[in-house]
Amino acid sequence: MSDAAALMDRMYRRQRHIYDLSRKFYLLGRDEAITRLLPAPGDKMLEIGCGTGRNLVKLAQAYPETRLFGLDVSREMLATAAASTARAGLASRIGLAQADATAFDPQGLFGCASFERVMISYALSMIPSWRDALGRALDVVAPGGSLEIVDFGDCADLPRPFKAGLRRWLAAFDVTPRDDLARALEELAAERGMTCEIESWFRGYAVLAVARREA
C-alpha cells in the first residue's frame, strides 16, 4: 500500500483543496448513482476511494438513517474528507480509514464484515489493479445488498477527436478509463452468484453499473 499511497499523496497534496470545484464539470453521473442507492434505515454503506468526502457528505444528507464509511489510500485526501465531514456536522456519522482498495479488512477498519450498499465513484480508473479492487468490493456486499459503480466509459458514441483529447488529458492525472469494465464486472459478479446491470450514459462518456447479491 505504501507505493500507491505515496503516489496519491504526491498527486493530491495540493489538488485536494480544489478537487471538488474542478471535477464537478466532468465527473458526470455521481449524483445519479447516489440517488439510486436507496438504502433502508440502519443499512451500512461503504464508499471505496472516498477522496475528499464529497459523496459521503451527500449520502449522509440524503440518507440520514444510514451508517456511512469511507476508505481511501491517500492520507492527504482523507485529511480533506475529515475536514469536510466535520464542517458539515457529520463526523459522528461517517467513519474514515486509510486502506488499499484491493485488499482491505472491513472488520478491522470499521468493525463490520459487509455492507448493504457499496459505492465506487470514479476510482477504478485510478487504481492500477482495478480488477482486484472490483472483486474485493463485490466480496464485501452483504446478502440483499448491492455495489454501485460510476466511472468513465468507452466514449463509443462520441467523436473520435473528443475521445482522444479526453484520454490524453486524463492520462496527465494518471487516470485510465477501463474500457472493459462492463465485461469484468459481469464475469466477477457471475463468479460470486451475483447479477449486474450496466448502463452507458452521455453517449458513452460515463458508465453506471450495479451488481446485486441475493438475500
Side-chain angles (χ1 to χ4, degrees), residues 51-62:
T52 63
R54 180 261 189 196
N55 293 336
L56 288 171
V57 169
K58 285 187 171 292
L59 287 164
Q61 294 169 339

Side-chain angles (χ1 to χ4, degrees), residues 16-27:
R16 64 191 176 95
H17 300 294
I18 60 169
Y19 184 92
D20 290 334
L21 181 62
S22 62
R23 265 61 173 183
K24 69 178 182 178
F25 299 107
Y26 65 89
L27 298 187

